[in-house]
Amino acid sequence: MSVRTYRQIQRRQSRLIHVGAVPVGGDAPISVQTMTNTLTSDVAATVAQIKRAEAAGVDIVRVSCPDEDSTRALKDIVAQVSVPVVADIHFHYRRAIEAAEAGAACLRINPGNIGSSDRVREVVKAAKDHGCSMRIGVNAGSLEKHLLEKYGEPCPEAMVESALEHAKILEDNDFREFKISVKASDVFLAVAAYHGLAEACDYPLHLGITEAGGLIGGTVKSAIGMGNLLWGGIGDTIRVSLSAPPEEEVKVGFEILKSLGLRTRGVNIVSCPSCARQGFNVVDTVALLEKRLAHVTAPVTLSIIGCVVNGPGEARETMIGLTGGGGDNHMVYVAGTPDHKIDGDAMVEHIVQLVEQKAAEIEAAKAKE
């Protein structure tokens, strides 16, 4: 079996929608989202947080709009950021209308929870008038009472049925510019629900393991759950839900996509865990390189291996490689072949320069396409 064969992921075919200028679904790249945790009414703090997420590469940002102060602030927030903003709305239809008027690119709202059919029509009209898409967001922790009575507990079937009920309300109002999520904190429940929904409709799916936890635990749960779905071709946009700064969610999201070959943003470092054979301190070197290379957005592959056991082999597969040698004399690989040696004192600065140079070459070639 060739490498190309076993790395192929056949994505589920979904319809294409737009969140502002960002395409979601169809053949569009899988987008990475996050959500602010500031008071939305605090414009300066919210904008600063979104800017940090933008620097990490975020495609879409969601902000909560629970009250009029929040929707009033939304207009100023949207004007100061570069990425499309999703307004998170729960229950109150007026907030949805205000958010659409304030420039939200998307409304996260469940139409079945905002009251009468007249209210739904008003929200749909506002979305159409202002070019908003929507996200139907089903959560295992807040399923409708009639579904809990029918199924007895949150289960994949109940979550899918909830999503399709909300979708039908929008379809009945001739609105189809929406994506759907069926999130749960239980990995098995979330994955099963997404599989059921993927079979039941062709709308783009927003993936997430909700309330996943802190940076380490939440990263693991999200990687297992979303990685499972993405590997199976399911998912058009993702959000890693962490009890951590939003930019950390973005970084983890890109790492998940990069590991599956679905996005190629930034430096992908292949490094060993280190052992007594290491010719230099691998752990400290990698930590320093991650900080020094955080600004690079071009898809550069870099291997940092402490000794010659696996170093040459890993270096053959990366654009730039570093392998620990005897004493203070380490081998630098370029394009998979041994190129020159470098001593430990100059090592980090030299690798940074090589990566930045390679990134510039990639960007220049891309500009000519």
Side-chain angles (χ1 to χ4, degrees), residues 115-350:
S116 67
S117 57
D118 287 342
R119 289 182 175 182
V120 173
R121 278 195 293 272
E122 286 188 56
V123 171
V124 169
K125 183 179 185 303
K128 289 181 176 179
D129 288 347
H130 297 279
C132 284
S133 56
M134 293 191 196
R135 172 163 75 89
I136 293 170
V138 174
N139 193 305
S142 56
L143 280 171
E144 293 82 0
K145 183 179 178 181
H146 73 280
L147 291 173
L148 289 175
E149 290 174 349
K150 177 179 178 179
Y151 291 98
E153 63 180 359
C155 63
E157 294 80 7
M159 295 174 69
V160 172
E161 187 169 332
S162 175
L164 295 179
E165 285 180 359
H166 291 298
K168 188 175 186 306
I169 293 172
L170 293 182
E171 291 170 343
D172 289 346
N173 282 273
D174 193 29
F175 190 88
R176 290 174 173 78
E177 189 78 0
F178 62 89
K179 53 187 174 176
I180 310 177
S181 65
V182 280
K183 296 184 180 182
S185 58
D186 181 284
V187 171
F188 294 97
L189 176 55
V191 169
Y194 275 111
H195 274 286
L197 187 59
E199 294 177 2
C201 71
D202 68 347
Y203 290 107
L205 302 184
H206 169 74
L207 301 189
I209 305 299
T210 194
E211 291 117 19
L215 183 58
I216 295 177
T219 293
V220 172
K221 286 178 68 175
S222 298
I224 291 171
M226 289 194 286
N228 179 301
L229 292 163
L230 292 164
W231 198 334
I234 295 172
D236 303 286
T237 181
I238 67 171
R239 188 253 172 129
V240 180
S241 297
L242 302 176
S243 300
E247 60 267 28
E248 297 301 324
E249 296 186 346
V250 178
K251 294 173 186 176
V252 173
F254 274 109
E255 289 301 323
I256 291 172
L257 295 178
K258 282 159 63 176
S259 70
L260 293 169
L262 294 168
R263 289 286 293 267
T264 54
R265 184 186 191 276
V267 182
N268 184 18
I269 300 179
V270 176
S271 61
C272 68
S274 79
C275 69
R277 293 190 304 266
Q278 66 181 357
F280 57 89
N281 189 316
V282 173
V283 174
D284 288 351
T285 300
V286 170
L288 185 54
L289 284 170
E290 285 180 335
K291 291 180 181 179
R292 292 288 305 277
L293 297 173
H295 65 288
V296 176
T297 58
V300 178
T301 54
L302 170 66
S303 59
I304 305 294
I305 308 296
C307 74
V308 296
V309 173
N310 293 320
E314 294 293 353
R316 281 196 299 269
E317 304 299 322
T318 54
M319 298 173 184
I320 299 166
L322 175 69
T323 296
D328 200 25
N329 207 6
H330 313 303
M331 179 61 71
V332 176
Y333 295 75
V334 177
T337 59
D339 193 78
H340 57 278
K341 292 185 176 182
I342 189 76
D343 64 56
D345 290 340
M347 184 174 65
V348 170
E349 193 64 39
H350 185 62

Side-chain angles (χ1 to χ4, degrees), residues 65-86:
C65 292
D67 49 42
E68 274 190 89
D69 287 342
S70 298
T71 53
R72 191 177 300 114
L74 191 60
K75 184 175 182 179
D76 290 334
I77 294 168
V78 169
Q80 296 181 55
V81 301
S82 301
V83 294
V85 175
V86 178

Side-chain angles (χ1 to χ4, degrees), residues 93-109:
Y93 82 107
R94 285 298 313 170
R95 302 292 86 79
I97 294 170
E98 292 162 3
E101 293 172 344
C106 179
L107 306 175
R108 189 281 191 196
I109 188 168

Side-chain angles (χ1 to χ4, degrees), residues 296 298 300 353-367:
V296 176
V300 178
Q353 291 176 359
L354 288 177
V355 170
E356 289 178 335
Q357 180 181 337
K358 185 62 180 178
E361 293 172 2
I362 292 171
E363 296 291 0
K366 184 178 178 181

Side-chain angles (χ1 to χ4, degrees), residues 17-44:
I17 71 165
H18 286 81
V19 177
V22 176
V24 174
D27 295 324
I30 296 170
S31 55
V32 175
Q33 302 189 28
T34 189
M35 184 175 183
T36 57
N37 55 30
T38 54
L39 286 175
T40 305
S41 56
D42 187 339
V43 174

